């Protein structure tokens, strides 16, 4: 597998801010974990991934949005420095563009192999956003033994407006292309990408990844994801958090899928839950990376999630911000 050490990242200095982090009933110093310097041992058939904090005992896999890259997590990974992190570029994206053609199944098989070969005890907690969330669920379906739990955002069967947009991928691709090559202010305003977390290198990668063929393939894979797929995921009995971004995601759909997963669980899966973060945009790891990391940490440690995570429980109608 192809690997990169964290020693080259421009964001390593951010870990100093949280020198001591409470984890459940224990306290761990981030300085306890060093990052191994790992050689590039890639084959032409393997995914690129970055491995951070390899001496930390619990492994998390972070899966990015479609058309993006592992750099999407640059502001989140320093906030999770007490964990071993595996952060790949998905097939046909950035440094994994040689692995193709893209599909959820191909991505899931590669991610599972990375976990088997690199995660502690061959298991990892899955964190995925949008396309990354669907792929995490595909891993659960195909390779349940490598998954400890999952924290997923913006990944449910499409409905209403998003289904209509997804059915016209060429038009949607054109719209994204116009935004990517418009004055930066327009792109950032349209996406809600927080100014302090804007990353020119990531933006370049998104532009490179944004091809009509890849966009249409991701749109097709997403459009084909159905309730029956969610049922298959639920039958794997994994503890899963489904999180809706209140400003752009399908909140009611997330509520329904959370209840479905909970109902299908017989053990760990019975603790699956759905939440909404009302002020969040779809790619909110680029809007509230600290909050995102706190949510991941709390879910993994089975602690209460931050107050910003409002539970979407049956019979409880919570108002989520809709458009602005």
């Amino acid at each position: 597998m192809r690997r990169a050490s964290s020693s080259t990242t421009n964001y390593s200095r951010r870990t100093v801010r949280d020198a001591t982090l409470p984890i459940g009933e224990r306290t761990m110093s981030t300085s306890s974990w060093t990052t191994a310097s790992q050689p590039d041992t890639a084959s032409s058939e393997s995914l690129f991934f970055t491995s951070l904090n390899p001496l930390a005992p619990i492994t998390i896999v972070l899966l990015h949005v479609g058309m993006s890259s592992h750099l999407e997590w640059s502001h989140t990974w320093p906030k999770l420095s007490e964990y071993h992190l595996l952060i790949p570029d998905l097939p046909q994206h950035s440094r994994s563009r040689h692995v193709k053609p893209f599909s959820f199944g191909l991505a899931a098989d590669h991610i599972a192999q990375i976990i088997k070969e690199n995660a502690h005890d061959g298991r990892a907690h899955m964190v995925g956003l949008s396309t990354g969330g669907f792929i995490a669920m595909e891993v659960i379906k195909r390779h349940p033994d490598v998954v400890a739990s999952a924290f997923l955002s913006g990944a449910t069967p499409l409905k209403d407006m998003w289904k209509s947009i997804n059915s016209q991928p060429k038009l949607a691709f054109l719209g994204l292309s116009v935004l990517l090559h418009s004055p930066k202010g327009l792109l950032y305003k349209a996406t809600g990408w927080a100014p302090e977390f804007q990353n020119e290198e990531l933006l370049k990668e998104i532009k490179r990844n944004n091809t009509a063929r890849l966009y249409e393939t991701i749109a097709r894979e997403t459009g084909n994801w159905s309730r029956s797929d969610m049922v298959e995921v639920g039958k794997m009995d994994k503890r899963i958090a489904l999180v809706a971004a209140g400003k752009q995601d399908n909140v009611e759909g997330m509520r329904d899928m959370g209840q479905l997963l909970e109902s299908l669980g017989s053990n760990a899966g019975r603790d699956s839950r759905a939440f909404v973060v009302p002020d969040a945009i779809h790619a909110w790891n680029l809007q509230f990376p600290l909050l995102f990391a706190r949510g991941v940490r709390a879910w993994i440690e089975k602690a209460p999630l931050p107050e910003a995570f409002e539970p979407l429980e049956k019979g409880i109608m919570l108002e989520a911000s809709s458009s602005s």
Side-chain angles (χ1 to χ4, degrees):
M1 292 291 176
R2 181 178 300 183
R3 310 176 187 179
S5 73
S6 67
S7 58
T8 59
T9 179
N10 294 326
Y11 299 95
S12 59
R13 65 183 182 276
R14 290 181 175 269
T15 61
V16 177
R17 294 183 182 177
D18 295 322
T20 304
L21 297 166
I23 307 297
E25 296 181 355
R26 67 188 186 274
T27 299
M28 308 172 72
S29 170
T30 58
S31 62
S32 300
W33 316 119
T34 58
T35 300
S37 178
Q38 300 168 321
D40 188 342
T41 57
S43 77
S44 60
E45 300 178 353
S46 60
L47 290 184
F48 166 88
F49 68 96
T50 291
S51 177
L52 307 177
N53 320 314
L55 298 184
I58 298 173
T59 302
I60 299 175
V61 174
L62 301 175
L63 301 179
H64 63 74
V65 173
M67 320 306 288
S68 186
S69 88
H70 76 286
L71 295 175
E72 172 184 308
W73 300 103
S74 295
H75 298 288
T76 305
W77 74 50
K79 311 303 182 185
L80 294 170
S81 57
E82 69 273 29
Y83 298 102
H84 174 216
L85 305 177
L86 297 172
I87 316 175
D89 282 339
L90 296 177
Q92 217 168 323
H93 288 72
S94 296
R95 292 190 232 183
S96 296
R97 60 174 42 90
H98 58 284
V99 181
K100 54 188 176 182
F102 177 91
S103 72
F104 288 174
L106 177 69
D109 291 346
H110 276 278
I111 298 302
Q113 192 63 32
I114 289 174
I115 294 171
K116 291 174 183 177
E117 295 180 358
N118 299 275
H120 297 303
D121 300 321
R123 297 176 79 236
H125 297 272
M126 308 294 298
V127 175
L129 201 155
S130 191
T131 300
F134 288 112
I135 291 171
M137 288 191 284
E138 191 71 26
V139 174
I140 292 172
K141 285 170 54 180
R142 299 163 76 103
H143 308 278
D145 291 347
V146 305
V147 179
S149 76
F151 179 97
L152 312 175
S153 183
T156 58
L158 296 179
K159 291 183 179 179
D160 306 326
M161 178 185 72
W162 286 110
K163 194 157 191 157
S164 175
I165 293 174
N166 200 70
S167 67
Q168 304 178 63
K170 291 183 179 179
L171 186 60
F173 165 74
L174 179 61
L176 176 59
S177 299
V178 169
L179 275 180
L180 285 173
H181 296 280
S182 66
K184 294 176 188 175
L186 181 58
L187 171 67
Y188 295 144
K189 183 176 181 180
T191 60
W193 191 343
E196 64 269 33
F197 301 123
Q198 291 163 11
N199 183 330
E200 288 299 315
E201 188 176 357
L202 173 58
L203 184 57
K204 288 179 183 177
E205 288 301 308
I206 295 173
K207 289 179 179 179
R208 291 180 65 196
N209 293 333
N210 185 44
T211 67
R213 178 172 296 180
L214 179 57
Y215 190 98
E216 290 178 23
T217 300
I218 292 175
R220 182 176 62 251
E221 290 281 291
T222 303
N224 288 339
W225 187 267
S226 67
R227 183 182 180 87
S228 63
D229 290 296
M230 299 297 295
V231 169
E232 288 187 53
V233 172
K235 289 180 178 178
M236 295 299 103
D237 200 27
K238 299 296 179 180
R239 182 171 170 270
I240 300 172
L242 293 178
V243 184
K247 288 194 172 183
Q248 295 177 340
D249 289 346
N250 177 6
V251 177
E252 287 307 312
M254 197 71 76
R255 185 202 306 274
D256 293 342
M257 292 303 101
Q259 292 170 13
L260 176 65
L261 294 181
E262 180 185 358
S263 69
L264 291 169
S266 58
N267 192 5
R270 296 182 65 180
D271 292 328
S272 294
R273 295 290 185 272
F275 303 88
V276 59
V277 178
D279 294 329
I281 59 171
H282 185 62
W284 62 287
N285 58 339
L286 295 172
Q287 179 192 21
F288 305 129
L290 178 56
L291 178 62
F292 194 102
R294 285 175 173 167
V296 169
R297 182 187 300 142
W299 186 252
I300 289 174
E301 300 295 335
K302 298 183 179 180
L305 270 65
E307 290 184 4
F309 290 77
E310 299 182 6
L312 291 171
E313 299 177 358
K314 187 174 182 179
I316 298 178
M317 298 303 295
L318 297 172
E319 290 188 6
S321 303
S322 53
S323 53
S324 52

